[in-house]
Amino acid sequence: MYNGKHPFLHDLYKNRTKWLMLLPAAVVVILMCYIPMAGIVLAFKEYNYHDGIFGSPWTGFENFQYFFKSGKAWLTTRNTILYNLAFLCVNTFLQITCAIMLSELAGKMFKRITQSVMFLPYFISWVVVGAFIYNLFNYEFGAVNTFLKGAGLELVDVYSNKKMWPFILIAVSAFKNVGYGTVMYLASIVNIDGEMYEAADLDGATMWQKIRYITLPCIRPTVVILFLLAIGTIMKGDFQMFWQVTGNNPMVLEVTDVIDTYVTRSLLTLQEFGMTSAAGLYQSGVSFVLVLIANYIVKKVEPDYALF
Amino acid sequence: MFSKKKKIMSLLLVLVVLMTGLCACGSKEGNTGETAQTANKEADSPAKEQEETQPAQAEEAEAETEAAGPDISQEVTLVMYLIGDRPVDNDEVFAKINERLKAEINATIEVKFMSWSEYEQKYPLIFASGEDWDIIYTADWCFYNAQAAKQGFYEITQEALETYAPMTAETMYPEAWEQAKVNDKVYMLPMNYKEITAYVYMARGDLMDKYGITSVASLDEAESYMDAIVQNEPSLIPIDVGSDYDKLFLYDRMFKKANWESPEKVIGIGPWQVMASVSEVDDEVKVMGTYDYPAFKETIVRLKDWKDRGFWSKNAVVNTQNNTESFQAGKSALAMMNANTAKSVYASVSAEHPEWDIRVFDAQDGVPPVLNSYLANGMSIFSKSKNPERALMALDYLRNDEEVNSLFCYGIEGKHWEASGDGALVSLPDSANYAYDSNCNWGVRNDAYWRVIEGGIPNLPELNKVWQETARSERYQTFVFNDESVKNEIAALGEIFDTDYKLLGLGFTDDPEADIAKLREKMEAAGAQKVYDEIQKQGLEFLAAQ
């Protein structure tokens, strides 16, 4: 095989089409992810506008202190991880369920319309969703309380009730994301070889048995890969969602504050760029470790599906 | 043959993919700059890309400054940031100002506004955004110290002042110049004006008459008025506080009253986020957490009572509209604001809703109003301004040229106002579109050209008289705290201020005593004592230096 040329250059020539296809993605990642990474130094600097990021004086680990001092490090880390786990489980479950249901549906027209309607919320901005929530739950004029008032029931005060927010957040996350994931799972279900179903029909398998023994095992690789990719972002709270939907409400922060919202809030009120980058760096560090751990576990259990 | 065709097709396909990829990539790049400027959602990348390119330009600008004599051969447009909502006739007024500036210094000003509801967030961000701008409104309560310490402002030296702003150099009050010093350097041109800050209530006369309320000039009277509203007007919120701007308005009034009446005369000291207070009569400068004074608990208990009775919304903490805006929109029955804001609000509301018969009352409730330091209003130049010397020249005209100053402060003569004897003016109907002294012109106010308004709020002269007789400066008003050694603590305390303290200040608590204890515990854990000790140390030095 090896014919004396440099192996990499040879590969570059031989698979030039594939390399060319990789190029745009690589350019984007380098521009958007690797180059800005130099900004990490900000976490170790006492930033001022005049000297800029690289000229400002070094401070060592000073900037990391406040995050732990304010007692918020543990709380926000916990919230971020738990919310993302909940979103991951609930959304994946709903997405697979919807995908299977859609694939079992007969009417093509109906299927298409349902699929589009489910997909639609994905395009609604979080700002708008936040406005929905506010107009639903506003104590004095909100839709829910207006209805309860009309029905002669007791009013609910959602904005000061900590217990409700995890459910609200999980619900809006599902509202926005289920349609999107459903389409991905639907695509992998459509790719399953039709002959398997025909054979099952001949053997007299019921619909449930077909789902249990053909559909689910066949989409397992997709599930595992999507799950692994999601683990990488488990330390990243969906900033827009937490910020807009809760309206940055201090009453329920204990259950809604994630690292991203905390960092943004402190940046806006303190203008200490170094300190907030320190918190961001902490977040990335933990993310990185989590990805390594998740990948290690997958490698042990299912070596074929591991990312690296 | 077939395979060749296939090959060409696949190559074409790759090209298409590549093109779309590159296009998407290109537009994404363009967007990043903008999003970084406005949103800054990625916490660890506030405009880092832009920052890198800036120092070089800043240095160039500095080099230019050092060149002798004002060179105005090149025409420049200066971008000026002000706080508030854009007055309808702003462009018309600035067209006139620019006409003159163009003739005098070959420069024009473009004004940008950031609204009251968002300025706390937007103000620091525009410094880091990499946006090109020159002049900004600033004040001791509006980030002056914080931004000056981060080198956000261009330093104004005595020489620069004499070269580029000779009129200002001549007329500046020496004590104002002294007050503006941060680490011995001046970054602001403070107003040339002695100002009092006093608060007023604005109430609906029609509703007062309906429910037999004669006056809303104290907390107790406000309580009866709001009670009448809650009982009888379900569609109105009595007072719609809770936004960044007014979340602590009622708390402040109550706490100040309680302390003014006590012998200790407790007042705040140091950065507001650390909640430090000190007795004015104590020469030891013993600094304590505000929450440790008995008056604090009394205040919170009363606020809780008011909140429970529905005096403000149960959603007050997520309010983005301030109480004045709500009042103007007819959503609430009472508003609180400083007397200065009241002038323009009164003018516009009376014009829009004469049937409301709005009335203005003293909200000081016996507490003497504060005689402001000169730093309560001022103008600064951005440290990365490309034309700092021209900006200084423009400020010189805005402050000291009677025509330009009057345009900025009151609008166009003959359209928005007309002179009424010496040092007074009458507002004309068009002033609804450019109201008297309410266009964020406060930073250039100048006693030499100041005109008091005739008409407007009928009882204002009377209130002013009382305030002027009682106004006083607080003992630590000009005390500037150097936070160098306790930055981390202040950052941690700021977070507590923003959440727990804000909630208490709006009465959102089920058990005031327990929540105050919880606040104290958190404050102590975050290192409050260390900050208080530092404030005490610097406070003693401050007293010794006087």
Side-chain angles (χ1 to χ4, degrees):
Chain A
M1 291 295 260
Y2 185 59
N3 53 7
K5 286 183 213 155
H6 192 280
F8 177 69
L9 288 180
H10 177 66
D11 187 60
L12 205 58
Y13 175 74
K14 196 174 147 211
N15 294 322
R16 57 190 178 283
T17 327
K18 287 180 190 158
W19 281 103
L20 202 61
M21 288 169 86
L22 180 70
L23 190 66
V27 168
V28 169
V29 170
I30 289 170
L31 276 180
M32 310 298 293
C33 301
Y34 281 90
I35 293 178
M37 225 183 250
I40 287 177
V41 293
L42 200 54
F44 305 97
K45 295 234 173 185
E46 191 187 332
Y47 177 74
N48 68 56
Y49 300 115
H50 187 261
D51 300 325
I53 292 178
F54 297 104
S56 297
W58 295 94
T59 57
F61 283 89
E62 272 286 299
N63 288 331
F64 287 83
Q65 279 181 22
Y66 98 102
F67 189 43
F68 298 96
K69 232 176 208 151
S70 65
K72 288 278 183 163
W74 161 241
L75 181 85
T76 50
T77 308
R78 182 201 69 183
N79 281 350
T80 315
I81 293 183
L82 286 185
Y83 270 114
N84 278 318
L85 274 180
F87 294 158
L88 189 58
C89 297
V90 171
N91 289 351
T92 309
F93 176 75
L94 288 175
Q95 284 159 358
I96 294 175
T97 316
C98 290
I100 292 175
M101 279 183 350
L102 278 179
S103 70
E104 296 293 332
L105 280 175
K108 204 171 181 185
M109 232 356 222
F110 181 72
K111 205 160 144 181
R112 281 282 152 86
I113 292 173
T114 320
Q115 205 177 321
S116 311
V117 170
M118 281 177 70
F119 204 88
L120 211 58
Y122 187 76
F123 296 107
I124 302 179
S125 145
W126 278 119
V127 182
V128 179
V129 177
F132 286 167
I133 297 287
Y134 184 73
N135 285 308
L136 274 179
F137 294 127
N138 178 301
Y139 187 82
E140 283 85 9
F141 314 111
V144 172
N145 275 351
T146 312
F147 172 77
L148 290 175
K149 214 185 267 173
L153 296 168
E154 208 174 313
L155 304 189
V156 288
D157 184 7
V158 175
Y159 276 93
S160 60
N161 189 338
K162 282 179 205 158
K163 289 187 193 115
M164 285 185 180
W165 282 93
F167 297 104
I168 295 175
L169 288 168
I170 289 171
V172 292
S173 164
F175 164 75
K176 274 235 342 166
N177 296 317
V178 163
Y180 185 77
T182 301
V183 172
M184 286 210 252
Y185 286 113
L186 200 56
S188 82
I189 290 174
V190 169
N191 277 334
I192 299 172
D193 195 346
E195 282 179 20
M196 283 200 273
Y197 289 104
E198 282 165 25
D201 282 337
L202 286 179
D203 291 341
T206 64
M207 190 181 78
W208 290 113
Q209 283 169 327
K210 280 190 281 180
I211 292 172
R212 168 74 184 79
Y213 294 106
I214 301 174
T215 315
L216 286 180
C218 286
I219 60 171
R220 205 170 67 156
T222 319
V223 179
V224 173
I225 287 178
L226 287 180
F227 185 81
L228 261 182
L229 288 176
I231 290 282
T233 57
I234 205 158
M235 278 294 283
K236 279 234 180 295
D238 186 340
F239 167 75
Q240 295 246 23
M241 161 171 171
F242 285 96
W243 190 268
Q244 302 293 355
V245 173
T246 66
N248 192 23
N249 175 0
M251 305 254 264
V252 295
L253 271 186
E254 208 175 298
V255 295
T256 60
D257 207 12
V258 293
I259 299 179
D260 297 78
T261 49
Y262 176 74
V263 166
T264 309
R265 215 178 39 249
S266 20
L267 177 68
L268 290 178
T269 49
L270 304 169
Q271 309 113 46
E272 289 294 347
F273 297 93
M275 292 185 189
T276 44
S277 342
L281 181 58
Y282 158 80
Q283 179 182 25
S284 307
V286 178
S287 268
F288 183 61
V289 173
L290 279 178
V291 174
L292 288 184
I293 294 174
N295 193 62
Y296 177 78
I297 294 172
V298 171
K299 216 171 189 170
K300 283 272 158 197
V301 185
E302 297 256 10
D304 290 346
Y305 297 153
L307 283 179
F308 51 84
Chain B
M1 186 63 191
F2 179 70
S3 81
K4 200 173 183 187
K5 208 172 176 184
K6 208 169 157 190
K7 215 171 181 181
I8 293 174
M9 280 299 287
S10 67
L11 263 176
L12 267 177
L13 201 69
V14 168
L15 259 178
V16 170
V17 170
L18 193 63
M19 287 304 281
T20 27
L22 281 178
C23 289
C25 171
S27 66
K28 241 184 193 164
E29 272 304 282
N31 285 338
T32 342
E34 282 163 36
T35 22
Q37 279 172 21
T38 51
N40 258 318
K41 52 187 168 179
E42 290 253 338
D44 55 348
S45 66
K48 53 182 70 143
E49 296 117 69
Q50 289 100 332
E51 289 299 323
E52 291 154 24
T53 56
Q54 292 289 342
Q57 288 164 359
E59 273 159 32
E60 259 169 48
E62 263 165 34
E64 264 169 43
T65 328
E66 278 153 25
D71 167 25
I72 55 165
S73 56
Q74 195 131 25
E75 185 188 346
V76 296
T77 303
L78 302 163
V79 176
M80 176 161 79
Y81 262 105
L82 299 176
I83 300 178
D85 295 314
R86 179 178 284 269
V88 181
D89 284 347
N90 186 70
D91 292 348
E92 207 176 317
V93 170
F94 268 85
K96 291 231 174 223
I97 292 178
N98 284 336
E99 218 171 89
R100 179 139 164 101
L101 289 181
K102 178 89 179 65
E104 297 286 346
I105 59 168
N106 200 17
T108 51
I109 294 179
E110 184 195 332
V111 190
K112 291 189 178 173
F113 282 90
M114 54 179 105
S115 80
W116 281 113
S117 44
E118 58 174 12
Y119 85 96
E120 281 191 24
Q121 305 182 348
K122 210 168 168 184
Y123 197 100
L125 288 182
I126 60 166
F127 286 82
S129 68
E131 194 184 326
D132 200 2
W133 55 276
D134 306 280
I135 304 173
I136 194 161
Y137 172 83
T138 187
D140 50 6
W141 53 269
C142 184
F143 302 105
Y144 176 58
N145 282 306
Q147 300 302 328
K150 283 206 224 16
Q151 307 185 20
F153 298 130
Y154 172 77
E155 187 196 341
I156 301 168
T157 57
Q158 187 72 43
E159 298 80 63
L161 201 65
E162 275 155 19
T163 321
Y164 300 110
M167 294 184 275
T168 305
E170 214 167 284
T171 55
M172 169 88 66
Y173 293 130
E175 61 271 32
W177 182 257
E178 280 309 309
Q179 282 177 8
K181 282 184 179 166
V182 176
N183 294 335
D184 271 342
K185 288 177 178 170
V186 176
Y187 301 94
M188 173 213 268
L189 294 181
M191 62 178 172
N192 240 25
Y193 178 80
K194 295 186 174 73
E195 186 198 37
I196 294 171
T197 296
Y199 284 84
V200 295
Y201 292 116
M202 195 175 277
R204 294 261 300 259
D206 56 341
L207 297 173
M208 287 176 63
D209 291 346
K210 198 166 160 192
Y211 304 113
I213 307 278
T214 49
S215 160
V216 190
S218 69
L219 286 164
D220 296 332
E221 287 173 353
E223 186 172 358
S224 341
Y225 172 67
M226 292 199 279
D227 202 49
I229 301 296
V230 164
Q231 305 297 339
N232 304 299
E233 299 281 341
S235 64
L236 285 176
I237 294 171
I239 184 166
D240 196 15
V241 289
S243 73
D244 276 349
Y245 169 68
D246 53 21
K247 60 195 174 205
L248 294 176
F249 269 21
L250 286 164
Y251 161 83
D252 275 345
R253 296 269 62 81
M254 289 184 188
F255 190 67
K256 286 211 164 108
K257 181 166 171 60
N259 280 309
W260 179 247
E261 285 165 357
S262 77
E264 286 87 15
K265 309 250 181 294
V266 174
I267 50 159
I269 185 168
W272 79 88
Q273 303 100 320
V274 306
M275 299 163 245
S277 288
V278 69
S279 160
E280 265 190 307
V281 292
D282 172 20
D283 288 327
E284 300 280 300
V285 200
K286 191 172 178 313
V287 179
M288 296 210 295
T290 306
Y291 45 85
D292 272 331
Y293 291 92
F296 185 76
K297 199 187 126 197
E298 282 165 35
T299 305
I300 302 303
V301 169
R302 189 167 194 194
L303 285 165
K304 170 183 156 50
D305 176 47
W306 284 22
K307 185 226 59 172
D308 288 345
R309 284 154 73 182
F311 285 7
W312 48 87
S313 165
K314 282 207 157 49
N315 306 135
V317 286
V318 287
N319 249 1
T320 48
Q321 203 175 30
N322 72 44
N323 78 88
T324 314
E325 291 164 345
S326 270
F327 181 78
Q328 282 177 285
K331 280 162 67 182
S332 61
L334 182 68
M336 186 192 278
M337 62 203 89
N338 70 42
N340 196 40
T341 315
K343 287 181 223 161
S344 62
V345 175
Y346 184 87
S348 64
V349 178
S350 328
E352 272 172 58
H353 298 283
E355 76 281 7
W356 288 358
D357 179 26
I358 55 167
R359 296 172 197 171
V360 173
F361 300 96
D362 187 358
Q364 288 298 124
D365 206 359
V367 180
V370 174
L371 191 61
N372 283 342
S373 82
Y374 292 103
L375 304 194
N377 293 294
M379 301 299 273
S380 286
I381 299 167
F382 185 28
S383 60
K384 286 187 195 156
S385 162
K386 295 208 177 73
N387 300 290
E389 65 289 338
R390 204 76 66 87
L392 197 50
M393 291 162 84
L395 283 177
D396 197 30
Y397 276 88
L398 287 176
R399 291 167 60 93
N400 300 297
D401 182 89
E402 183 163 11
E403 184 193 340
V404 177
N405 184 268
S406 302
L407 275 168
F408 192 10
C409 293
Y410 327 120
I412 300 166
E413 189 172 3
K415 180 176 163 83
H416 300 118
W417 61 281
E418 68 192 10
S420 161
D422 221 14
L425 62 78
V426 185
S427 276
L428 298 176
D430 266 348
S431 68
N433 294 335
Y434 198 90
Y436 168 78
D437 191 30
S438 37
N439 314 294
C440 199
N441 55 289
W442 316 300
V444 302
R445 281 185 191 153
N446 193 334
D447 276 332
Y449 310 123
W450 195 249
R451 292 172 182 274
V452 293
I453 189 169
E454 288 183 357
I457 304 173
N459 54 337
L460 194 62
E462 193 186 313
L463 294 179
N464 263 329
K465 205 171 143 250
V466 177
W467 293 332
Q468 260 149 12
E469 277 164 16
T470 52
R472 59 192 283 277
S473 298
E474 287 178 349
R475 191 173 190 184
Y476 298 99
Q477 193 146 303
T478 52
F479 169 66
V480 176
F481 181 63
N482 179 353
D483 65 2
E484 204 56 52
S485 59
V486 286
K487 261 191 175 168
N488 268 293
E489 283 76 12
I490 292 180
L493 295 173
E495 168 67 20
I496 302 172
F497 177 85
D498 240 21
T499 54
D500 300 54
Y501 198 71
K502 176 178 171 185
L503 287 180
L504 286 176
L506 285 165
F508 284 91
T509 164
D510 292 327
D511 180 352
E513 196 151 349
D515 281 340
I516 293 171
K518 209 168 108 192
L519 174 71
R520 177 182 304 118
E521 208 173 285
K522 280 193 188 176
M523 296 290 292
E524 277 164 10
Q529 197 53 48
K530 189 174 164 198
V531 180
Y532 297 163
D533 290 346
E534 183 65 29
I535 296 177
Q536 179 175 23
K537 194 182 120 211
Q538 294 186 22
L540 283 169
E541 284 165 14
F542 170 78
L543 289 187
Q546 280 192 331

